[in-house]
Amino acid sequence: MKYRYALVLLLGLTACTNPAKEAPAGTYYDLKTYIEKQISELQKQKPTVVKRAGFGEEEEQQTTKDIDWSRELDLFLQADINKQAYQTSYQKSRPDSLTYEYTLKSTERLPVRFLRIELDSVTHQPRRIKATLRTKNSLYESERNVWLETEKGRIKQYHIDGFQQLAWLDAKPFSVEGNIK
């Protein structure tokens, strides 16, 4: 009897969970899977990266192998729009057979405003990804423009720039650029 009650309780709790669902296959390009694969490969390979970062007036450059790739490429994961709740939120465009463009409809309020994925003509893997993410509320506003380029299916360069602004302060520009050797 105890076990039956525990089983019913467990089934009831799992039925109440609502995991984030991805959009049906083919709705949007599967950016998440691609970026997760790149993160996994970069974590294994530990390549040398020449990284430049700036915030406001300050800027620094370093050469390192010690990078948390999940954190470094997080904005590219955030640019993934392949979620079921988003499936009607974007205008799709195919300027050519190797390019996907998604623009947020004017009636929608989602963080990813624009996403462009250009595929390599030989490998059909992304060769360039570009996205604009924007967050705005009564206390805070930010915009992040991200892009990356690949060579032979591997990320070779990535760039993030934008600004952050609290309602009562001036906007602070920031940028991060990495060149993978």
Side-chain angles (χ1 to χ4, degrees), residues 17-147:
T17 60
N18 186 14
K21 294 180 181 174
E22 292 185 1
T27 301
Y28 301 120
Y29 188 87
D30 187 6
L31 181 61
K32 180 181 177 188
T33 299
Y34 175 76
I35 296 296
E36 285 175 341
K37 181 180 176 192
Q38 292 292 309
I39 289 170
S40 177
E41 289 178 12
L42 288 164
Q43 286 174 335
K44 288 177 195 170
Q45 295 166 357
K46 298 196 179 297
T48 300
V49 178
V50 177
K51 184 176 173 180
R52 184 182 57 80
F55 187 71
E57 301 285 322
E58 299 178 27
E59 186 175 293
E60 66 179 55
Q61 182 172 319
Q62 66 177 352
T63 301
T64 183
K65 288 185 174 208
D66 187 29
I67 292 185
D68 178 350
W69 288 105
S70 294
R71 188 171 164 209
E72 194 77 359
L73 299 178
D74 181 59
L75 283 174
F76 293 95
L77 286 173
Q78 290 181 36
D80 178 54
I81 59 172
N82 213 26
K83 297 173 178 64
Q84 190 171 21
Y86 294 3
Q87 65 181 304
T88 60
S89 300
Y90 291 88
Q91 294 176 336
K92 300 176 195 176
S93 171
R94 294 293 304 268
D96 58 56
S97 64
L98 297 171
T99 305
Y100 295 86
E101 281 189 356
Y102 308 104
T103 305
L104 186 66
K105 293 179 180 176
S106 61
T107 56
E108 299 289 332
R109 299 288 174 248
L110 297 172
V112 180
R113 302 302 170 113
F114 174 79
L115 174 62
R116 179 183 174 104
I117 301 167
E118 298 173 26
L119 303 179
D120 181 270
S121 62
V122 176
T123 65
H124 293 280
Q125 292 292 311
R127 70 177 180 87
R128 182 174 293 128
I129 298 170
K130 184 177 182 180
T132 300
L133 296 89
R134 188 170 183 89
T135 304
K136 184 175 183 175
N137 60 42
S138 59
L139 299 175
Y140 175 79
E141 181 176 357
S142 76
E143 182 173 291
R144 286 105 37 210
N145 299 294
V146 300
W147 62 261

Side-chain angles (χ1 to χ4, degrees), residues 10-22:
L10 180 63
L11 289 173
L13 288 174
T14 57
C16 294
T17 60
N18 186 14
K21 294 180 181 174
E22 292 185 1

Side-chain angles (χ1 to χ4, degrees), residues 12 47 179:
N179 291 296

